Amino acid sequence: MPLSDGRLGQYVADGRRAEIQSRVSSLLEQMTLEEKVGQLNQRSVHFVTGTEDEGAALESAVADGEVGSLLNATDLETKRHLQQLAVEESRLGIPLLIGFDVIHGYETIFPIPLAQAASWNPDLAERAERIAATEAAAAGHNWTFAPMVDVSRDPRWGRVMEGAGESPVLGSAFAEARVRGFQGEDLSDPDTVLACAKHFAAYGAVEGGREYNTVNVSETALRERHLPPFEASVQAGVGSLMNAFNVHERIPASGHESLVDGVLKGDWDFSGVLVSDWASFREQIQHGTATDRREAARKAIEAGSDIDMASEVVIDELPGLVREGDISEERLDDAVRRVLTVKGLLGLFEDPYRYFDAERREEAMLADEHREAAREAACESFVLLQNEGDRLPLDPEADVALVGALADSGEDTLGAWSFEGRPEDAITVREGLESFLDRAVPFAPGYELPGEVTEASIEAAVETATDADVAVTVVGETAAITGEAASRADIDLPGHQRRLVEALAETDTPVVAVLMNGRPLAIDWLAESVPAILDVWHPGVEGGPAVAETLFGEHVPAGHLPMSFPSSVGQVPLAHDRLPTGRPAEDAESGYTTGYIDAPNEPLFAFGHGQSYTGFAYTDLTLSTDAIDAGETLEATVTVENVGDVAGRDVVQFYVRDLVGSRSRPEKELLDFETVELAPGERADVPITIEDTDLAFWTADREWAAEPGEFDLMVGHAADDIAHTERFALLE
Ligand code: BGC
């Protein structure tokens, strides 16, 4: 396997590559068939904490070399003990990979990944993952099942909180940054972990947003929308990928030969390891594409998947399949070589105990600089959805009342997928406000989580708000109704939170809404009843202070939506890069145009939308040339000016439209973006470079290529707020 190709190979010092490869070859020569298969078997450590028999069975499987990797181990001693069994008891002493879902921080919980993407600042995500890796590695893990790079345009799907939203361009930028953050400079450093881009592929397109559902995407959508962040991860040298649960073209992803062997290991020449999702090898039986466990194991391994997470069909069936010639020795050796190679990259052969240092663990967890980074990340992720009459920022001298149980919930401040995060370590919005203002803030929960109200709870909230100068109401979703297995058919505020907000809006006290959520919500009524809405997502351990700093203007919000907010759930799926139709909505005269009779076509808040306490004006979009040949570049520059009264950060968004193609092309799609910090009155030129490869798509000839023709380049504040458009051509 090529470790010298500058991708996965960049995470190992030059001198160690040959050494790893020869160690792996020599181990392979010594291994029995059973030992090889053991490397492909991943077991969950839940069982150690399960019954005594299950614990003992796992221990003896590890000691017998029947387990290559673990997941879900939490306490350090269990991890060390099992590693010791592998190293000291198993015949060849091959250490274990120890994986864990580190999705947005380990103990220092950062904002959910969707929120981080709202910063449009991939460096922020890289830094967050660097910290997450440092903590996870100090707690005995050497592998994380992240980043999730699934592109999705369906907010009903609970897992959108784990991704970077609807754009393959933004998604690819975040995917690369996260991989670099986890894997650091050198995978053998004790504060780095192997990353895992998941779920390969197109899991974000589950029909109806229903969890674990069928996926039905065209080859074009797969290539243009779903694969790019995976390819970007591979280019960034990600060490592992995870199969998706879903089918593609009615074939489960784990057993999908043309996807795995063809695209991933063939076209992209991926040299890392591919792990199944939880029991997804076995679930081919439920999908109805395998008769039994043996066929499930055969199809997965034959397709090119390597490690069996938790279904144990490989450990049970692969030895027989190889002996009887149904799976070749070469394929088995290829899978085992990949597993051993990543173990070598991690430095596990030299020191299998490098991740179990109690002192380092003590120092790393929730270190001051980690909290500081989590607070900055939270601030950068907030999106000011609307701010009529400049209701925000608030005056710190004003009498503020706080309403909403979410403001007082540590668990929901952290968000879903924060296993090692402790609610008591989270600073809630209520605590953040009180400490910022250095006084008690009158508070009423208003509803019981996730959203039940009573006459009495509303009355108490209204009373609390009535005497105040301003009422801040925190509404939205609990962590538990977001994440895996948390699809929602109704994406309004849960329960009767609406009744509460409407009662508050009827008082004479001005109301500001702080929205906590793991997905875009359909809240057009909220936008009508409340003038200012700050979306803070599930903001992580430092959420409270970040919210306070933003509400009172110490931080100027600069987040922009990575995913459209629909005006009603009936519009879903929707995204900024929709195709034109033969009956454009603008041709309103005929009446037979694309649209609904009871809803607009446009989202409530568009992709890229986000306001500020200042304003930015774009002048002079200039192109260095109006035509390029293949291989040439074009520079586009926009002048940005801060036209408000405070310093702020702007996200300059460039969109493109390919006017005529062999396939219909989106009305606009994100092409590139840049951020710029400007003082009041300051101006800056923001340039981007465009190459013909940036204009490529999956053409009617089924190849990734740019077609000559005309293009509109747009610069805007959001997908629905374009300031300037210039045309250029790509020549024959
Ligand atoms: C999820 C994966 C996760 C795995 C292990 C599965 O249910 O789909 O994303 O990594 O569990 O926890």
Side-chain angles (χ1 to χ4, degrees):
M1 242 184 321
L3 277 185
S4 51
D5 67 1
R7 296 188 305 177
L8 183 50
Q10 73 186 281
Y11 297 96
V12 58
D14 281 352
R16 286 187 62 241
R17 286 191 195 122
E19 190 190 314
I20 292 171
Q21 281 167 334
S22 80
R23 185 194 293 268
V24 169
S25 301
S26 125
L27 273 172
L28 268 171
E29 276 166 26
Q30 302 168 56
M31 290 168 92
T32 63
L33 173 56
E34 280 71 19
E35 283 166 336
K36 288 180 183 176
V37 173
Q39 289 302 306
L40 309 181
N41 185 31
Q42 179 172 116
R43 292 277 300 266
S44 170
V45 179
H46 276 148
F47 298 122
V48 169
T49 47
T51 67
E52 236 169 76
D53 282 356
E54 283 165 341
L58 177 59
E59 285 170 347
S60 74
V62 171
D64 292 346
E66 291 168 9
V67 179
S69 53
L70 301 173
L71 84 153
N72 287 340
T74 47
D75 75 281
L76 200 60
E77 275 324 299
T78 305
K79 282 171 268 198
R80 174 189 282 280
H81 168 63
L82 291 166
Q83 188 67 295
Q84 204 162 359
L85 288 177
V87 173
E88 288 169 29
E89 303 284 326
S90 76
R91 190 180 73 94
L92 293 169
I94 301 174
L96 298 162
L97 290 171
I98 303 182
F100 199 71
D101 291 289
V102 183
I103 306 299
H104 50 116
Y106 193 71
E107 283 197 20
T108 304
I109 299 295
F110 281 77
I112 56 169
L114 186 65
Q116 291 183 38
S119 71
W120 292 53
N121 180 1
D123 293 346
L124 172 154
E126 181 171 345
R127 192 164 161 224
E129 304 309 22
R130 197 74 295 290
I131 289 170
T134 304
E135 293 190 359
H141 300 286
N142 47 44
W143 189 11
T144 173
F145 303 121
M148 185 191 97
V149 304
D150 295 316
V151 169
S152 183
R153 41 264 329 263
D154 195 331
R156 291 171 297 187
W157 190 46
R159 300 197 77 167
V160 298
M161 53 87 39
E162 287 175 63
E166 71 186 40
S167 159
V169 171
L170 191 62
S172 296
F174 273 85
E176 280 169 23
R178 287 180 190 284
V179 169
R180 285 194 304 267
F182 283 126
Q183 299 193 164
E185 297 273 301
D186 187 325
L187 271 169
S188 71
D189 290 342
D191 63 351
T192 57
V193 295
L194 193 74
C196 180
K198 68 188 189 184
H199 306 81
F200 190 69
Y203 184 22
V206 281
E207 277 186 356
R210 174 156 66 82
E211 185 65 301
Y212 312 130
N213 200 12
T214 304
V215 161
N216 199 358
V217 295
S218 64
E219 187 186 15
T220 313
L222 180 77
R223 296 277 179 174
E224 292 182 1
R225 194 174 290 164
H226 299 286
L227 292 187
F230 287 99
E231 190 172 4
S233 305
V234 171
Q235 293 303 338
V238 72
S240 69
L241 254 76
M242 184 184 288
N243 299 119
F245 283 126
N246 53 273
V247 295
H248 173 59
E249 290 283 4
R250 314 223 169 157
I251 299 172
S254 299
H256 203 299
E257 200 165 339
S258 66
L259 201 56
V260 174
D261 202 41
V263 175
L264 176 64
K265 292 186 171 176
D267 299 349
W268 299 347
D269 205 15
F270 171 61
S271 50
V273 68
L274 179 61
V275 61
S276 78
D277 202 346
W278 183 279
S280 69
F281 283 5
R282 191 189 61 218
E283 287 176 12
Q284 292 174 98
I285 303 171
Q286 278 78 20
H287 281 293
T289 56
T291 323
D292 51 21
R293 294 167 60 84
R294 183 182 168 92
E295 197 178 9
R298 180 178 64 72
K299 286 195 158 181
I301 298 297
E302 214 167 56
S305 300
D306 300 312
I307 295 181
D308 176 359
M309 178 193 283
S311 74
E312 294 186 60
V313 295
V314 161
I315 191 75
D316 293 346
E317 304 293 344
L318 192 54
L321 286 163
V322 175
R323 269 194 203 98
E324 281 151 44
D326 289 329
I327 293 284
S328 69
E329 294 251 5
E330 292 74 51
R331 173 72 264 271
L332 173 66
D333 284 359
D334 167 62
V336 178
R337 185 179 285 281
R338 288 168 186 271
V339 176
L340 296 177
T341 301
V342 297
K343 290 183 175 181
L345 289 169
L346 287 163
L348 285 171
F349 293 113
E350 287 87 355
D351 178 7
Y353 304 111
R354 67 197 319 135
Y355 299 95
F356 311 117
D357 179 339
E359 206 174 300
R360 206 171 83 222
R361 188 186 196 295
E362 195 56 35
E363 276 167 24
M365 296 305 162
L366 289 159
D368 289 349
E369 66 271 23
H370 294 185
R371 275 193 172 273
E372 182 63 38
R375 184 190 302 211
E376 276 173 34
C379 283
E380 282 204 45
S381 72
F382 296 167
V383 182
L384 184 60
L385 291 175
Q386 65 182 28
N387 193 19
E388 284 163 22
D390 291 336
R391 185 62 54 86
L392 288 173
L394 302 176
D395 175 0
E397 298 304 318
D399 275 337
V400 180
L402 183 64
V403 171
L406 282 167
D408 205 23
S409 162
E411 192 180 326
D412 300 304
T413 304
L414 295 182
W417 285 108
S418 35
F419 301 118
E420 294 298 295
R422 287 178 300 262
E424 60 273 24
D425 289 329
I427 308 176
T428 63
V429 173
R430 186 180 181 188
E431 290 162 344
L433 247 53
E434 294 198 335
S435 114
F436 185 91
L437 295 172
D438 199 19
R439 59 174 192 259
V441 171
F443 171 73
Y447 53 88
E448 196 179 303
L449 293 169
E452 296 321 306
V453 298
T454 59
E455 289 311 318
S457 73
I458 293 186
E459 229 169 83
V462 166
E463 204 180 300
T464 309
T466 304
D467 297 333
D469 295 330
V470 59
V472 174
T473 180
V474 183
V475 289
E477 298 179 291
T478 53
I481 62 169
T482 74
E484 186 174 355
S487 291
R488 299 181 63 201
D490 174 7
I491 52 170
D492 200 337
L493 298 187
H496 306 109
Q497 293 183 33
R498 178 174 180 169
R499 274 180 55 200
L500 170 73
V501 176
E502 288 177 344
L504 291 173
E506 274 171 26
T507 65
D508 293 332
T509 308
V511 179
V512 164
V514 171
L515 194 61
M516 282 171 69
N517 50 323
R519 52 160 65 78
L521 297 170
I523 42 160
D524 53 352
W525 64 268
L526 182 68
E528 272 166 35
S529 23
V530 170
I533 308 175
L534 180 70
D535 190 354
V536 305
W537 315 97
H538 290 133
V541 272
E542 288 283 321
V547 170
E549 283 169 25
T550 310
L551 287 178
F552 293 100
E554 207 155 275
H555 170 78
V556 176
H560 290 258
L561 293 178
M563 212 175 157
S564 316
F565 270 48
S567 71
S568 71
V569 72
Q571 293 180 320
V572 171
L574 92 166
H576 71 286
D577 53 0
R578 67 187 179 199
L579 297 182
T581 74
R583 302 282 180 94
E586 303 78 64
D587 295 352
E589 260 167 42
S590 78
Y592 287 88
T593 57
T594 186
Y596 302 97
I597 55 170
D598 57 356
N601 288 353
E602 306 310 325
L604 173 65
F605 297 116
F607 175 79
H609 171 79
Q611 298 191 2
S612 170
Y613 296 154
T614 187
F616 298 96
Y618 298 166
T619 46
D620 306 333
L621 173 62
T622 53
L623 307 187
S624 57
T625 169
D626 59 8
I628 52 169
D629 275 315
E632 289 181 350
T633 58
L634 175 158
E635 191 162 286
T637 308
V638 65
T639 307
V640 183
E641 181 178 354
N642 181 341
V643 292
D645 299 329
V646 290
R649 186 172 67 96
D650 187 32
V651 177
V652 188
Q653 301 161 39
F654 294 89
Y655 295 86
V656 72
R657 177 169 191 178
D658 182 348
L659 297 185
V660 179
S662 58
R663 294 186 199 271
S664 181
R665 306 288 298 127
E667 289 176 355
K668 71 168 77 77
E669 58 186 330
L670 184 69
L671 177 74
D672 205 348
F673 57 94
E674 288 294 333
T675 54
V676 57
E677 301 257 358
L678 294 174
E682 197 184 354
R683 293 160 73 97
D685 286 344
V686 176
I688 58 159
T689 303
I690 302 171
E691 299 176 50
D692 59 327
T693 47
D694 298 323
L695 308 169
F697 67 102
W698 192 247
T699 70
D701 290 335
R702 301 182 60 225
E703 59 174 9
W704 190 258
E707 292 177 341
E710 289 190 312
F711 296 81
D712 276 346
L713 178 71
M714 294 159 255
V715 62
H717 306 277
D720 68 346
D721 187 4
I722 298 299
H724 301 283
T725 303
E726 290 293 333
R727 188 159 293 179
F728 67 93
L730 177 63
L731 303 171
E732 296 275 350

